Amino acid sequence: MNEENERPRYLRIADALRTQIAAGELEDGARLPSIPEMVREHGIASSTAQRVINVLVSEGLAIAKPGSGTYVRTWPEKGYMVCSWHRNARGGSPFKLEMEGQGAQGNWDYESRTDRAPGAIRERLALDDPADDRPNAMHTSYLYRRNGRPAQLAESWEPLALTRHTPIVLPEDGPYAGLGVVERMRQIGVRVTHSNDDISARHITLAEAQRLEVAPGEIVLTRTRTYYADTLPVETADIVVPASLYTLKYGTSIWDEPAEERPQSA
């Protein structure tokens, strides 16, 4: 028997669609055959057709949109996220500037609300344990986009004790909307001096995969970032970046003393 014919039917159908995607016959955003269409065309059961879709979605070649259908998702050129602190602090949103530097357009969706910071966030922001139910932080959820395509997620927290009753209390609304933490804090006399980043990796959650339009099981880079004004934490965020689409790029300045100024060893 031909080895190809020994492969399960759903894998052979997935192979054919994968070949069409690779050849450009099915372009990015093209709608793939629906389950009823595959049932009619190939004479297979609905469960088999669903397995075809599952294979392509798991490989990151398709994105399923509930109530709409399944669409081709080709891989764009891998981008990068610049995480170096040593850059000009002025100039607005770091994400927007990073995208412009790569010849891309950066924008984002957001939702801000007052909230009670959970224990881990309180520790990062050096907040006291709450004595009542009143909110103690501004919590903003972000979905960042590169050329209209989801690029990263972020959950940002700022202490209300620092920003309440100021024009920067809403990070994405008001006169200083969207300028980024450093520039916004400058408007209320707070000089951000440095940031701290912890980088790790894990499997994506289902909710994150849906928002980022990537395959379940994708590996994501996680970045826990906190901005400081000397020793005072002014903002902290949990950032999620698909590892298959982006590289985190770090750099640092090297400070060196001129030879004549170095202390002589004994």
Side-chain angles (χ1 to χ4, degrees), residues 57-58 204-206 209 214-218:
V57 169
S58 68
I204 199 168
T205 68
L206 181 58
V214 298
E218 174 103 12

Side-chain angles (χ1 to χ4, degrees), residues 217-238:
E218 174 103 12
I219 298 297
V220 290
L221 302 172
T222 61
R223 179 184 174 198
T224 299
R225 182 204 64 211
T226 303
Y227 281 114
Y228 294 86
D230 293 322
T231 60
L232 176 68
V234 301
E235 188 261 5
T236 193
D238 292 302

Side-chain angles (χ1 to χ4, degrees), residues 6 62 64 74 104 113 225:
E6 293 180 356
T74 56
R113 58 196 179 278
R225 182 204 64 211

Side-chain angles (χ1 to χ4, degrees), residues 84-165:
S84 172
W85 171 253
H86 297 281
R87 61 185 172 195
N88 189 347
R90 297 181 184 271
S93 164
F95 178 80
K96 185 176 181 180
L97 293 175
E98 289 163 15
M99 293 299 101
E100 289 176 353
Q102 298 176 48
Q105 181 181 11
N107 53 40
W108 52 90
D109 303 327
Y110 68 91
E111 179 186 355
S112 293
R113 58 196 179 278
T114 56
D115 206 345
R116 291 183 66 191
I121 300 299
R122 291 200 304 273
E123 183 176 349
R124 279 150 55 180
L125 290 177
L127 298 177
D128 295 331
D129 291 340
D132 50 39
D133 293 336
R134 288 184 295 179
N136 58 358
M138 181 61 67
H139 179 193
T140 304
S141 299
Y142 290 94
L143 170 60
Y144 291 90
R145 300 179 184 276
R146 181 179 190 251
N147 290 336
R149 197 167 202 168
Q152 69 177 18
L153 301 173
E155 297 292 329
S156 167
W157 301 78
E158 296 179 356
L160 281 174
L162 183 64
T163 64
R164 185 186 277 116
H165 306 310

Side-chain angles (χ1 to χ4, degrees), residues 233-248:
V234 301
E235 188 261 5
T236 193
D238 292 302
I239 302 166
V240 175
V241 182
S244 59
L245 299 181
Y246 293 94
T247 297
L248 297 184

Side-chain angles (χ1 to χ4, degrees), residues 46-76:
S46 296
S47 58
T48 303
Q50 183 63 62
R51 296 181 77 177
V52 174
I53 297 299
N54 292 346
V55 167
L56 297 175
V57 169
S58 68
E59 293 177 351
L61 294 175
I63 179 74
K65 299 181 179 181
S68 176
T70 306
Y71 298 84
V72 173
R73 183 182 187 278
T74 56
W75 295 97

Side-chain angles (χ1 to χ4, degrees), residues 158-232:
E158 296 179 356
L160 281 174
L162 183 64
T163 64
R164 185 186 277 116
H165 306 310
T166 74
I168 69 163
V169 65
L170 292 171
E172 301 298 332
D173 294 287
Y176 305 107
L179 289 183
V181 175
V182 175
E183 186 64 28
R184 287 177 47 253
M185 291 295 167
R186 199 192 311 274
Q187 307 307 316
I188 60 171
V190 176
R191 180 176 174 268
V192 177
T193 55
H194 65 286
S195 67
N196 182 71
D197 286 69
D198 294 323
I199 307 297
S200 188
R202 59 170 170 79
H203 284 95
I204 199 168
T205 68
L206 181 58
E208 290 168 344
Q210 290 172 342
R211 294 188 68 197
L212 288 168
E213 298 183 6
V214 298
E218 174 103 12
I219 298 297
V220 290
L221 302 172
T222 61
R223 179 184 174 198
T224 299
R225 182 204 64 211
T226 303
Y227 281 114
Y228 294 86
D230 293 322
T231 60
L232 176 68

